Amino acid sequence: MSTQNLIKELSQKMQPVKSLPSPWVRASLWLFSTFLCIGSSVFLLGLRHDINQIIFSANFLFQTFIIILLAAFSVVGAFFLSIPGKPKTWVNVSFLFPLGILIFALLGQVGWNIYQSGSAPVLGQGYYCSRDVLVLGIIPGLLLTLMVKKAAPINFGLVGVLIFLATFSLAALGVNLICHGTDPFHLLIWHITPVILIGGIGRLLGRFFLKW
Amino acid sequence: MTQRPYLSVQFEDSHLSDLMLRSQGGDQESYFQLLNLCQEMLLKFIRRKLGEIDSLDDVLQEVVLAVHSKRHTYDSNRSFKSWLFAIAHYKVMDYFRAYYKSKEREVTYSSDRSFENDLAELGISSFEQFEFEQDLAEAMKHLNDKQRIIVDLVKIKGHTINEAAEIVGLSETNVKVQIHRAIKEMRNSLEERP
């Protein structure tokens, strides 16, 4: 078929389409539905027993704020990058800011604890926390992937990282509400490190599940 | 004096954007007009990226289809041309990736076919040249897509750094870095061979 015939055929068969809402609107929709999804899962699994005390702790509130910021920046970046021709702006790398702060804060706390106690931190058995991070992130992750694929992502690697970071950082926040561990070393190794590792995997997998 | 077609009013971004908005609303006439204008711009774009190749029309149709299927992603607050060429660039890179993958498959020797036929098909006249081509293809397998395309463009097809940078959409410095890394990688992989 010649290109001219193809154009004629596409024009004749063309149906009206609704243009995509802005990345901000789509990011808000996803964040809202993810809060609902992870929130209800957390209630089903059971909140940590010391939730009434921890919820007023400055450290916990700070971590929660930074994790939400990381998820928000990542999801906004993913939606902006999924529109062809969108110029590279601060949104593409903004996720590094909360991620850096989070890692720095946790490492600082770990270092401070070592300095005070004079002993090396204990790794402990927290693999179930990492497992919960993975499980809680599955549905929001699928939803976000579908929403991003509805647009036209081009930078698969970065979009893959952002999808995984947004999804699993909120899942880690959910696990923070279930797991009663307060040791910063535990939080760093079993809650946050899996998010970073999964984000890295997103870079590799992006080209497979985002291709269009 | 001949007027340059891309400077005329119908190729202005505001006009194209207006046509796209009407097309999104279901105006078939506007859509037909838009795709025809896009076709002209895309043909020039793809020809600049790929040169005069047999499959030029196939790539063009791929881009037109992509534009059609992703027309709902166009945002009227943004430049239409930037949206269009981003899709075109993506599809051209897709073509490059597919092309180099098929080239790799071609060079892999298949034992159920005659050796002479394979050499003839590859346009290779001697066993030494065949070995060289095979070594090269093997070494290039260790490169990522981007490096493979850049090495082929600059070192095999003879494009300048500037041309290659424009084709792959990277800065000249980045292209140089990629070539440097690719050559190092290829050298290592050839040295590791028995």
Side-chain angles (χ1 to χ4, degrees):
Chain A
M1 184 193 275
S2 73
T3 308
Q4 199 52 44
N5 285 341
L6 175 73
I7 288 175
K8 210 175 279 177
E9 199 180 306
L10 290 176
S11 310
Q12 283 164 358
K13 287 181 182 170
M14 190 265 285
Q15 297 291 317
V17 287
K18 205 176 162 198
S19 68
L20 278 180
S22 83
W24 298 103
V25 174
R26 283 185 292 151
S28 307
L29 274 173
W30 180 80
L31 282 170
F32 178 71
S33 46
T34 301
F35 278 127
L36 276 183
C37 174
I38 292 181
S40 46
S41 308
V42 167
F43 275 107
L44 283 174
L45 291 168
L47 285 163
R48 57 196 286 177
H49 60 82
D50 58 347
I51 189 74
N52 289 332
Q53 288 92 53
I54 200 81
I55 203 85
F56 296 111
S57 129
N59 190 28
F60 181 81
L61 288 175
F62 173 74
Q63 275 177 23
T64 304
F65 172 71
I66 292 294
I67 290 175
I68 292 174
L69 210 61
L70 171 62
F73 282 177
S74 302
V75 71
V76 166
F79 282 129
F80 265 99
L81 279 171
S82 63
I83 300 174
K86 201 82 189 171
K88 282 180 184 173
T89 51
W90 61 272
V91 285
N92 302 347
V93 288
S94 56
F95 71 97
L96 292 171
F97 175 66
L99 186 63
I101 290 181
L102 187 63
I103 295 170
F104 185 75
L106 286 171
L107 279 175
Q109 286 174 5
V110 171
W112 180 247
N113 283 358
I114 293 172
Y115 172 73
Q116 280 200 319
S117 65
S119 58
V122 183
L123 193 59
Q125 286 192 346
Y127 64 89
Y128 49 87
C129 290
S130 304
R131 182 205 58 199
D132 290 348
V133 169
L134 277 173
V135 173
L136 286 180
I138 289 174
I139 294 174
L142 285 174
L143 177 68
L144 183 54
T145 304
L146 289 176
M147 287 174 82
V148 166
K149 277 197 84 165
K150 197 163 165 43
I154 286 171
N155 188 344
F156 298 142
L158 185 53
V159 176
V161 170
L162 293 174
I163 287 177
F164 280 32
L165 275 183
T167 302
F168 291 101
S169 58
L170 287 184
L173 181 62
V175 174
N176 281 0
L177 296 169
I178 300 168
C179 167
H180 58 268
T182 49
D183 179 12
F185 190 66
H186 171 86
L187 296 177
L188 181 68
I189 298 297
W190 300 109
H191 294 205
I192 301 303
T193 304
V195 177
I196 298 165
L197 290 177
I198 296 166
I201 293 170
R203 181 171 165 73
L204 300 173
L205 294 182
R207 72 167 61 184
F208 298 106
F209 68 86
L210 292 172
K211 202 167 165 21
W212 49 277
Chain B
M1 200 171 108
T2 321
Q3 197 192 359
R4 288 171 68 186
Y6 299 99
L7 294 179
S8 67
V9 179
Q10 58 179 350
F11 286 101
E12 273 181 11
D13 210 85
S14 55
H15 177 64
L16 296 168
S17 175
D18 189 43
L19 285 176
M20 181 48 130
L21 286 180
R22 278 190 265 155
S23 306
Q24 285 179 333
D27 184 344
Q28 296 183 345
E29 186 54 43
S30 297
Y31 194 50
F32 181 70
Q33 204 184 332
L34 177 73
L35 287 184
N36 271 307
L37 292 172
C38 287
Q39 183 197 0
E40 280 188 54
M41 292 189 291
L42 290 171
L43 197 60
K44 195 182 171 198
F45 176 84
I46 298 166
R47 194 172 276 145
R48 205 176 66 223
K49 299 274 183 191
L50 302 176
E52 286 297 339
I53 54 163
D54 292 340
S55 46
L56 198 67
D57 218 39
D58 294 339
V59 181
L60 176 63
Q61 291 187 14
E62 276 289 316
V63 180
V64 170
L65 283 171
V67 166
H68 176 74
S69 68
K70 294 295 178 185
R71 65 192 189 280
H72 63 284
T73 65
Y74 174 64
D75 174 4
S76 57
N77 295 320
R78 298 190 41 248
S79 154
F80 176 81
K81 283 184 188 170
S82 138
W83 175 84
L84 177 74
F85 290 124
I87 292 180
H89 184 262
Y90 167 69
K91 283 290 165 189
V92 167
M93 291 307 287
D94 222 25
Y95 166 81
F96 267 123
R97 275 188 282 268
Y99 174 77
Y100 288 105
K101 272 191 186 139
S102 69
K103 285 277 274 188
E104 269 173 19
R105 277 199 296 273
E106 270 177 32
V107 177
T108 307
Y109 180 65
S110 152
S111 59
D112 59 343
R113 301 173 61 206
S114 84
F115 183 68
E116 288 75 17
N117 280 350
D118 278 348
L119 289 183
E121 250 179 50
L122 290 166
I124 294 166
S125 54
S126 70
F127 182 72
E128 286 76 18
Q129 197 185 347
F130 171 74
E131 272 197 324
F132 168 73
E133 298 256 346
Q134 216 178 26
D135 283 348
L136 193 65
E138 191 59 41
M140 283 180 81
K141 275 183 194 169
H142 292 84
L143 308 180
N144 61 38
D145 287 345
K146 198 195 293 168
Q147 288 174 334
R148 202 177 307 132
I149 291 166
I150 290 170
V151 166
D152 188 71
L153 286 171
V154 178
K155 297 291 176 190
I156 298 173
K157 293 212 173 88
H159 284 275
T160 63
I161 300 277
N162 186 15
E163 286 166 347
E166 202 183 319
I167 291 172
V168 295
L170 295 174
S171 68
E172 285 183 40
T173 317
N174 203 341
V175 167
K176 284 179 194 167
V177 171
Q178 295 295 338
I179 291 175
H180 177 74
R181 286 182 186 159
I183 290 174
K184 200 174 164 191
E185 185 68 41
M186 287 169 76
R187 190 183 295 136
N188 287 344
S189 72
L190 287 172
E191 279 171 3
E192 279 167 16
R193 295 185 73 187

